[in-house]
């Protein structure tokens, strides 16, 4: 017997944003929520992705992460190259 209930995956939570992911009927459902002091977690966007596209989504996110990390490293290298060493006494 197979259940049609959504299978929730642990959310990603930052200070004021939360990304919930669940699997339901052959789709990954991603919900972006933001925190409001008066209301609590408020839904902003929902995205449904066919499970056949999950591998491609993983590759695209990994590529974006690598590019972002590379750009951060290049920025840090430029900043560290501008540091002038103080001459020894």
């Amino acid at each position: 017997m197979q259940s049609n209930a959504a299978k929730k995956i642990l959310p990603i939570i930052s200070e004021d944003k939360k990304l919930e992911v669940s699997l339901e009927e052959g789709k990954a459902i991603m919900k972006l929520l933001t925190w409001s002091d008066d209301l609590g977690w408020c839904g902003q966007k929902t995205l449904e992705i066919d499970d056949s596209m999950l591998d491609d989504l993983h590759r695209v996110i990994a590529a974006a992460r690598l590019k972002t990390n590379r750009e951060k490293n290049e920025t840090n290298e430029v900043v560290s190259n501008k540091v002038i060493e103080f001459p020894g006494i």
Side-chain angles (χ1 to χ4, degrees), residues 29-59:
I29 300 171
M30 301 170 65
K31 295 181 181 180
L32 176 65
L33 301 101
T34 56
W35 178 260
S36 172
D37 288 332
D38 297 329
L39 300 173
W41 290 109
C42 301
Q44 298 297 318
K45 298 176 185 177
T46 300
L47 180 63
E48 293 184 13
I49 302 168
D50 291 336
D51 61 359
S52 63
M53 297 177 72
L54 288 176
D55 286 336
D56 292 330
L57 177 63
H58 183 270
R59 278 191 288 278

Side-chain angles (χ1 to χ4, degrees), residues 5-88:
K7 296 175 185 142
K8 294 194 178 218
I9 298 171
L10 289 175
I12 300 167
I13 302 174
S14 69
E15 187 174 320
D16 61 348
K17 292 182 182 174
K18 176 165 69 167
L19 181 63
E20 294 180 341
V21 178
S22 61
L23 301 173
E24 186 175 341
E25 298 178 9
K27 294 184 181 187
I29 300 171
M30 301 170 65
K31 295 181 181 180
L32 176 65
L33 301 101
T34 56
W35 178 260
S36 172
D37 288 332
D38 297 329
L39 300 173
W41 290 109
C42 301
Q44 298 297 318
K45 298 176 185 177
T46 300
L47 180 63
E48 293 184 13
I49 302 168
D50 291 336
D51 61 359
S52 63
M53 297 177 72
L54 288 176
D55 286 336
D56 292 330
L57 177 63
H58 183 270
R59 278 191 288 278
V60 169
I61 289 172
R65 187 185 73 228
L66 289 171
K67 182 176 175 75
T68 300
N69 288 341
R70 189 175 305 123
E71 288 173 358
K72 284 179 186 176
N73 288 338
E74 288 172 0
T75 300
N76 288 338
E77 287 174 8
V78 169
V79 170
S80 66
N81 288 340
K82 291 183 179 181
V83 174
I84 300 173
E85 290 192 31
F86 192 76

